Amino acid sequence: MVYLTRRERFSSAHRLFNPDLTDAENDKLYGKCANSNWHGHNYELFVTIKGEVQEGTGVVINLKDLSRIIKEKIIDKLDHKNLNLEVDFLKETIVSTENIIIAIWDELELEINKINAKLHHIKLVETENNFAEYYGEKE
Amino acid sequence: MVYLTRRERFSSAHRLFNPDLTDAENDKLYGKCANSNWHGHNYELFVTIKGEVQEGTGVVINLKDLSRIIKEKIIDKLDHKNLNLEVDFLKETIVSTENIIIAIWDELELEINKINAKLHHIKLVETENNFAEYYGEKE
Amino acid sequence: MVYLTRRERFSSAHRLFNPDLTDAENDKLYGKCANSNWHGHNYELFVTIKGEVQEGTGVVINLKDLSRIIKEKIIDKLDHKNLNLEVDFLKETIVSTENIIIAIWDELELEINKINAKLHHIKLVETENNFAEYYGEKE
Amino acid sequence: MVYLTRRERFSSAHRLFNPDLTDAENDKLYGKCANSNWHGHNYELFVTIKGEVQEGTGVVINLKDLSRIIKEKIIDKLDHKNLNLEVDFLKETIVSTENIIIAIWDELELEINKINAKLHHIKLVETENNFAEYYGEKE
Amino acid sequence: MVYLTRRERFSSAHRLFNPDLTDAENDKLYGKCANSNWHGHNYELFVTIKGEVQEGTGVVINLKDLSRIIKEKIIDKLDHKNLNLEVDFLKETIVSTENIIIAIWDELELEINKINAKLHHIKLVETENNFAEYYGEKE
Amino acid sequence: MVYLTRRERFSSAHRLFNPDLTDAENDKLYGKCANSNWHGHNYELFVTIKGEVQEGTGVVINLKDLSRIIKEKIIDKLDHKNLNLEVDFLKETIVSTENIIIAIWDELELEINKINAKLHHIKLVETENNFAEYYGEKE
């Protein structure tokens, strides 16, 4: 069992905002991250799959397939976009790093199963000081 | 003559957009960077001053002073802000990396002169693949 | 279940030294790390907590709370300090990366429990070639 | 139980190539990685061992011993070499990242056991976008 | 006058070898870099151009044009190739970092002039410890 | 004319302290950097030489010679040492980044001249946010 990781990147605008709260409550909860004029980040996304090495090829999967899936399903939809306004799979979501990473997992899991790999771990780096990780563990 | 560099960081939203052009022209010129819903970046700002080492202290300037000036004049105004909408010294500016770096130079130069240093060089990193530099050379 | 990591940094002096051994024995055991005049490092500390995303906020915890706890309990006590001489929670300890990381865990665990998160993992990077990790596993 | 990681580096030539396939099949499978004139990488190897802190020394193992083993068993054999042609423990192997990492594990495991540590994890970084990991899990 | 830098990357095989010398002389001169079975690197190429900000666009040049030129003229020819055997503009050259960087300059200079920019500086990183820079200064 | 850079690293203890000042004055001037129990850093040293490519070898100098000089003259004397107490060429010096870099220049210049290269630039990185540079410019 070997684990393979592919890194992709996207640059997006977002804000932390709960529509059920007042502006004052949002400001208190999220501080400058609630700025109504948006801010943005260069995100780094690390997608790790696991599987067994195929005897005929010496690889678990063709990394180009993994890269293509991540680009089509995630990067093309998030890069140079507004995460609150423009992403189909983030509608009605508070776009925290936590919620983004869970939504990315749900987008990728089925597609990755199709290339005979198993999605194992996602890491989403928001700044050099903050990142989130997810293993698909539901409550 | 020694050169000292201080790095600071900010995360902002922006778009490339020339109000004198049509939407179609902006799209053609700037591509996805013209997205009307904004996108954003983690910027890294490197400010380099030069000066002679002071005999009594062994340093050119107190780096805390340089850091304080950069924070007050630049970071507090740009971090978690929309560069097109919320920054006094970027009003009426196409907020390209080139124009941001020139505007930052103009904000910092006088303040840094007051601490007996000379602003030498600014580097603004937009992504790991793109950065701009400026030495204050006017046309 | 999502995992969140906050990085903080500190720069400290230390030496590896066992007071029960002779100087020659310490030198043989630790080499240049036993230098009686001290040496030092820029340490990077990665603290990972785990928890469930809160529905009302979209986040597991407020990262500012985590950052504040790490700063008050760890960084303020270690940064620009001598790890052998000046840190209350490292008294009587051989200040190896291993022992520092266990001591940091013990300092943080209770405080992090108070913000409804669970301390999951600590990583302490001493140089670009060496780091230690700890999951709170006691013998 | 503490986990210690040592990073070492090597720069090597290789190609992905299955001798049981035709050139056209290799090209289709591996793309530019099958180039018969070779290409190469700067690899980063992270070796993680786990163990308990020894009371007398405050460390799990002497990191110099770990570094020496990795250099003698791995780096000296791979650095500035052709991975397809010159490495005894990679003979008859398709030198994918996956197969290299498994082979490195098999080379290191016994040697690391001799210094009272347990090999826990190996990470092999091929480019800034691709890396493999292995925990010794056999099918 | 603003300076803009674009980073691109390539992974290649090469060896240091002077055909006018004996094998023993090559070995003595270049050590392990002369290995007749090749070795390889992940190279990072930083290309810096300089120019004035265009009033109508707010940018010096369109970075996509610079990226396209570097890819067509350099990366497509070097990436996953053997620098000694397969690169038209490196024929008859000892493929040291120094000679590669001069050859890249000569390939890029004319093309970059065509997009109204001036090639200013090239940096070629061979490993994290070694890099070369060139400003087009001929003897 | 090509510029070649070699990076080396050292980890040292130091404090900022002017013996002509009182403790209170030192504290006011240098803050936590004046801590009488020392602190420390992982320093990165980048040494850049310039020269013309030698026709017979394709290189400006043999980088191993440059690395050897830096190690013998600088790293062996600074690594795992106390910069205030143990370094012959830093005696009577306030060991600020500025003064260290000038002293390193003076140590290296003559030695590098002997290998037919010209010392061009030194960069000393103290933390990821602070570094100094020197070109040998005397007042």
Side-chain angles (χ1 to χ4, degrees), chain A residues 18 30 96 129-131 133 137, chain C residues 3 5-7 56-58:
Chain A
N18 183 339
Y30 300 117
S96 61
N129 292 328
N130 298 326
F131 61 83
E133 295 169 284
E137 297 168 300
Chain C
Y3 301 77
T5 299
R6 175 75 191 172
R7 184 193 71 147
T57 61

Side-chain angles (χ1 to χ4, degrees), chain E residues 18 30 96 129-131 133 137, chain F residues 1 3 5-6 56-58:
Chain E
N18 182 340
Y30 299 116
S96 61
N129 293 328
N130 298 325
F131 61 83
E133 295 170 282
E137 297 169 299
Chain F
M1 189 72 73
Y3 301 76
T5 299
R6 175 75 192 172
T57 62

Side-chain angles (χ1 to χ4, degrees), chain C residues 3 18 39 52 55-56 58 65 67 69 88 106 116 118 121:
Chain C
Y3 301 77
N18 182 340
H39 65 283
E52 286 169 19
E55 260 189 51
D65 291 331
S67 177
I69 290 171
D88 54 2
D106 291 339
N116 285 317
K118 196 167 156 36
H121 174 252

Side-chain angles (χ1 to χ4, degrees), chain A residues 10 29-30 86 88 100 109 111 114 138:
Chain A
F10 57 95
L29 186 57
Y30 300 117
E86 298 181 288
D88 54 1
I100 300 170
E109 195 174 23
E111 295 299 316
K114 294 181 194 164
K138 308 283 184 191

